[in-house]
Amino acid sequence: MSAQPNAGFAREASRQILAGGSAGLVEICLMHPLDVVKTRFQIQRCATDPNSYKSLGDSFRTIFRREGLFGFYKGVLPPILAETPKRAVKQPSTMSYARHIIKTEGLGLQGLNKGFTATLGRHGVFNMVYFGFYYNVKNIIPVNKDPTLEFLRKFGIGLLSGTIASVINIPFDVAKSRIQGPQPVPGQIKYRTCFKTMATVYQEEGILALYKGLLPKIMRLGPGVLSCCGVKYKEKACCEWTVQAKQKCE
C-alpha cells in the first residue's frame, strides 16, 4: 500500500520539476529580446555612439533592420544553459567560445570571470532589496480568501518589489555591461572594476547614464514574477497532495 503513494509522489515531483524548468525556459525565450535591448542601451556611451538608440521602439526597429529576428537572441544560450544544465553537452558553440576566452584571456577577473564583482553586486543588492521589501509588505497587506485576488496581491507586491530593487541595483548592471562589453578604444581596457566603472560613467556621462536600460529591465520583471508566483502555487498544491497521500497511507 505504501509503495503506491511513494510512486505517485515521485511522479508528481518529477512533473513539478519539469513544469518549473519548462516555465523558466519559455520565459527566457520570450523575454530575452528585452535583455538584449537593455544591454545595448547600457553599453552605448553618448548620442554619437554608432550603437546609440533614440528610444525603446527605435532600438527594436534598428536591431531588427540591421540584424534580423535572430539579433534579439544573441547570447541566449548561456541563460538557457544556466536554466537547464543538462543541455551543456548539446551546445558546443557556447562551450568552444568559453574555451577560447580561457585560452586567450584566462580564468581571472580579466578573462572568463570578467565583471564578477559587478555581477555579484547586482544580484546581491537585488535579492536583498527584493526579498526584504516583499516579505515585509506581504505581512502588512492582509491575505485574501479569494484565490484570484490573493494571486494578484502577491503578483502586485512582487512586481513592486522587483521594480524598487531594479532601480537600486541597475548601476551594478550598467557597470557589468561596460566591463564585459566592447571598450571605447580597441586594445585598451577602460572599464576594469565595478565601482571605478560607476564613477567613470557618472563623471563622463552623468547620473542618468547609470540607469540606462531600466525600462526594458522593469518590463522583463512581469513574466518573471508571474512564473515565480505560479511555481509557488504549484509547490503549495504539491505539498497538500503529499499530506493527503500520507493521510491515506496511514
Side-chain angles (χ1 to χ4, degrees):
M1 293 292 291
S2 61
Q4 292 180 352
N6 289 335
F9 174 76
R11 285 196 299 269
E12 180 65 15
S14 300
R15 188 177 70 84
Q16 297 294 336
I17 293 172
L18 180 62
S22 300
L25 184 63
V26 171
E27 180 197 342
I28 290 173
C29 292
L30 291 177
M31 305 310 298
H32 189 73
L34 287 173
D35 278 339
V36 172
V37 171
K38 173 183 70 71
T39 304
R40 296 290 181 89
F41 270 111
Q42 290 174 344
I43 62 175
Q44 65 183 23
R45 289 171 288 279
C46 58
T48 57
D49 192 306
N51 295 319
S52 179
Y53 303 108
K54 298 178 181 178
S55 64
L56 185 63
D58 177 62
S59 65
F60 276 100
R61 289 190 298 269
T62 303
I63 293 173
F64 181 76
R65 185 174 64 252
R66 292 178 180 176
E67 306 170 45
L69 182 62
F70 289 106
F72 292 108
Y73 289 91
K74 288 183 175 179
V76 73
L77 290 183
I80 288 179
L81 294 180
E83 189 70 29
T84 53
K86 65 180 180 180
R87 294 176 178 234
V89 295
K90 299 179 181 179
Q91 304 294 345
S93 60
T94 299
M95 300 306 294
S96 62
Y97 190 67
R99 286 195 297 268
H100 173 72
I101 294 176
I102 294 172
K103 184 177 179 179
T104 56
E105 302 177 36
L107 277 168
L109 296 180
Q110 297 302 321
L112 193 64
N113 290 296
K114 184 183 294 184
F116 174 77
T117 54
T119 303
L120 192 65
R122 181 185 69 168
H123 288 294
V125 170
F126 183 91
N127 289 330
M128 179 179 66
V129 176
Y130 178 87
F131 288 108
F133 186 87
Y134 179 84
Y135 284 106
N136 278 282
V137 173
K138 189 174 72 127
N139 293 331
I140 295 174
I141 302 177
V143 177
N144 201 301
K145 294 181 179 180
D146 185 288
T148 303
L149 294 178
E150 175 62 12
F151 178 83
L152 292 175
R153 180 184 79 95
K154 290 184 176 180
F155 175 76
I157 297 173
L159 187 61
L160 180 60
S161 302
T163 300
I164 294 174
S166 295
V167 171
I168 295 175
N169 92 319
I170 195 169
F172 290 92
D173 205 353
V174 172
K176 182 187 81 71
S177 296
R178 293 295 180 95
I179 293 170
Q180 294 178 339
Q183 300 296 306
V185 180
Q188 297 182 13
I189 300 178
K190 180 178 182 179
Y191 306 110
R192 291 182 180 273
T193 61
C194 177
F195 291 104
K196 186 177 180 181
T197 298
M198 288 185 193
T200 301
V201 172
Y202 172 73
Q203 292 169 359
E204 295 182 354
E205 305 171 44
I207 186 68
L208 294 180
L210 291 172
Y211 291 87
K212 287 182 177 180
L214 180 61
L215 180 58
K217 183 180 177 70
I218 292 176
M219 289 173 64
R220 200 203 181 294
L221 282 174
V225 174
L226 191 64
S227 64
C228 182
C229 290
V231 169
K232 286 183 178 179
Y233 272 94
K234 286 289 185 180
E235 289 175 349
K236 182 179 179 182
C238 183
C239 291
E240 292 175 351
W241 183 90
T242 304
V243 172
Q244 292 174 0
K246 287 183 178 179
Q247 290 175 347
K248 289 179 181 179
C249 180
E250 293 172 354

